[in-house]
Amino acid sequence: MQVRKNRSVTNKGPAEWFTGDVYIDPVTAPNEYSRTMAGHVHFAPGARTAWHTHPHGQTLYVTDGVGLIGRRGHVEEIRPGDVVEIEPDEEHWHGATPSNFMAHVAINDVDDQGSPAVWGDHVTDSEYTA
Ligand code: MN
């Protein structure tokens, strides 16, 4: 057992994977025993991921604000306490609403190459507001 005090460094979400201002606090990273990684992700109003998939799926646990979870042709509001279970290779995006912050814990396993996600196109404004 190891207790890590909160000294994590907040990382800015890179522009090739996100639209708008996104900040990620690492929670846990893969190691020799586990492929699980988790992060606490904060989205400013209007910010969202690009379209992407996860080779081993993903669980999102909403902790704050009001957010959106999108799949092709369907956008749904998510709020604190909501849990989103994303299937392996299911195309989706997640983010804040245009007028609220949103934070979630994102939990997923990495693949054999250590990658948690496969990234695609940015979510257009018309997809975001659909
Ligand atoms: Mn995802």
Side-chain angles (χ1 to χ4, degrees):
M1 183 187 296
Q2 181 189 22
V3 177
R4 287 185 290 118
K5 301 303 181 186
N6 183 3
R7 297 188 187 90
S8 67
V9 173
T10 299
N11 299 310
K12 181 85 166 72
E16 58 266 44
W17 298 348
F18 297 98
T19 298
D21 290 328
V22 178
Y23 294 91
I24 304 163
D25 286 336
V27 174
T28 192
N31 57 42
E32 60 182 305
Y33 311 113
S34 170
R35 291 185 173 212
T36 301
M37 69 183 297
H40 197 189
V41 188
H42 295 73
F43 298 81
R48 66 268 191 182
T49 70
W51 285 100
H52 63 285
T53 61
H54 302 282
H56 297 285
Q58 182 178 54
T59 300
L60 303 177
Y61 177 67
V62 183
T63 57
D64 198 14
V66 186
L68 298 171
I69 176 78
R71 54 196 128 165
R72 294 292 176 191
H74 184 74
V75 179
E76 183 171 346
E77 194 173 277
I78 50 177
R79 289 177 177 271
D82 291 349
V83 176
V84 182
E85 299 279 10
I86 295 150
E87 299 291 323
D89 303 320
E90 182 179 13
E91 258 192 313
H92 69 287
W93 57 269
H94 24 114
T97 68
S99 53
N100 295 88
F101 280 86
M102 189 274 280
H104 64 48
V105 176
I107 306 156
N108 41 257
D109 284 3
V110 298
D111 66 13
D112 290 340
Q113 284 72 47
S115 174
V118 177
W119 293 95
D121 293 335
H122 282 85
V123 174
T124 65
D125 287 345
S126 64
E127 289 171 330
Y128 177 61
T129 56

